[in-house]
Amino acid sequence: MPETQAEAAIRPGADLKAAREGRGLTVRQVAQELHVGDAMIDALERGDYAVLGEPVFVRGHLRNYARALGIAENQVLSGYEQTQNKPPPPPLVTQHPLGGMHPRSREWTLRAVSGALILALGIAVVWWLSRPSPPAATLSAAPTATTPVPVVSTAVPTVADVATAPAAEQKPAPKPEPALAPPPVKPAAPAPRAARESRPAAGGVANAAVSAKPPAAAADGSLTHAVFSLSSASWIEVYDAGGKRIYYDLAPAGGSLELSGAGPLQVFLGNAPGVSIQVDGASFDVASYTRPDNTARFKLSKPGG
């Protein structure tokens, strides 16, 4: 007599219950192992699959229950599928990548290929470094005609050699090349006569008279005549109207200078407060030309000129 649908629904649960009881396990023990409630274990054993949710969840609970009891999963799932009037699902087959190659096999294959490539590269590098170097090209110079180099004698003939040599062989000795002389050094200009004469003599300070022309020319009154009296030392420069230097030196303190030249005379004083000037017997106001640094630059002309 064929079993009814209700009997078929109970069968997977009855098999699980019989297996549990055969191992001496309680519902509570199985529920704790599967981390589910006791009510779910009771529903599985009763075949009350409606309270367990979608069929995919029911299959999962049945599979876990069968594993926990150590019975065949396919047998339990086949009984459940019969209760649903559906053919049992095909057995689960794990598909491996690379045409059925196991992941571990694939890993070893990749390692083997990588190792082979590295080994081949290392062999190529070693071969390249150890290969013999090409022989160096030997350059042979073509024989060339050697031209004798004339030997030039550097010996200088003596007077005796010249005297005893035949007349035909006595040739004038070549003149030596003149050596390049360094450029002439321009001698320093001698100190002006006025500077030499204005320095104090052994017995005291001497007066110096300097004129652009001989004294006879100064007597005709055509030149400007100036007397410089120094209370302190001062640098003095005096040029005539044509730019000719008449005096250019440091005049000592306590001395005096008598200078004559074609006027107007161009004068520069380094210490103007220490110098007083008379032009053709008339006093000259040096203070009006004195600068803050005590220097003065001005021109001297004959009075009324």
Side-chain angles (χ1 to χ4, degrees):
M1 180 180 180
E3 61 181 352
T4 62
Q5 183 176 359
E7 292 175 347
I10 295 173
R11 188 177 63 183
D15 294 341
L16 292 173
K17 181 178 181 181
R20 175 179 60 77
E21 291 175 351
R23 288 165 177 74
L25 299 175
T26 63
V27 174
R28 181 63 179 171
Q29 291 175 337
V30 176
Q32 289 179 351
E33 184 176 352
L34 298 178
H35 303 287
V36 295
D38 297 348
M40 180 175 291
I41 301 300
D42 290 335
L44 290 173
E45 293 181 352
R46 294 194 314 270
D48 188 7
Y49 305 124
V51 299
L52 300 177
E54 297 295 330
V56 64
F57 299 115
V58 176
R59 295 188 186 95
H61 292 309
L62 290 174
R63 185 181 295 108
N64 293 337
Y65 199 172
R67 289 176 182 173
L69 297 176
I71 61 177
E73 302 174 16
N74 293 337
Q75 179 182 350
V76 176
L77 292 176
S78 177
Y80 169 72
E81 297 299 337
Q82 291 179 4
T83 63
Q84 302 299 313
N85 294 326
K86 296 179 180 179
L92 182 62
V93 178
T94 304
Q95 297 292 335
H96 299 293
L98 296 179
M101 182 179 294
H102 193 272
R104 187 172 296 277
S105 301
R106 178 187 179 188
E107 179 181 355
W108 282 107
T109 301
L110 293 177
R111 289 185 179 180
V113 173
S114 301
L117 292 176
I118 294 175
L119 179 60
L121 181 60
I123 293 174
V125 171
V126 172
W127 173 83
W128 178 264
L129 294 178
S130 61
R131 66 189 181 92
S133 301
T138 304
L139 299 179
S140 57
T144 56
T146 304
T147 303
V149 180
V151 178
V152 179
S153 176
T154 58
V156 180
T158 61
V159 177
D161 295 337
V162 175
T164 58
E169 296 181 358
Q170 293 183 3
K171 298 180 180 180
K175 296 182 180 180
E177 293 292 335
L180 295 178
V185 180
K186 184 177 180 181
R193 182 186 177 200
R196 294 194 301 270
E197 295 180 355
S198 63
R199 302 187 187 279
V205 179
N207 295 332
V210 179
S211 60
K213 294 183 179 180
D220 60 2
S222 61
L223 303 178
T224 301
H225 182 74
V227 178
F228 296 77
S229 300
L230 292 99
S231 59
S232 59
S234 175
W235 180 267
I236 299 178
E237 297 180 20
V238 180
Y239 302 88
D240 65 6
K244 181 179 179 181
R245 185 168 62 188
I246 299 176
Y247 188 87
Y248 186 87
D249 204 350
L250 177 66
S256 62
L257 298 175
E258 296 182 6
L259 305 176
S260 299
L265 301 180
Q266 303 177 20
V267 181
F268 171 77
L269 301 179
N271 182 19
V275 182
S276 59
I277 301 175
Q278 288 188 346
V279 182
D280 291 337
S283 298
F284 180 80
D285 185 11
V286 179
S288 59
Y289 296 94
T290 303
R291 299 176 180 177
D293 59 352
N294 291 334
T295 63
R297 189 180 297 275
F298 48 85
K299 293 182 179 181
L300 296 178
S301 302
K302 296 174 66 67

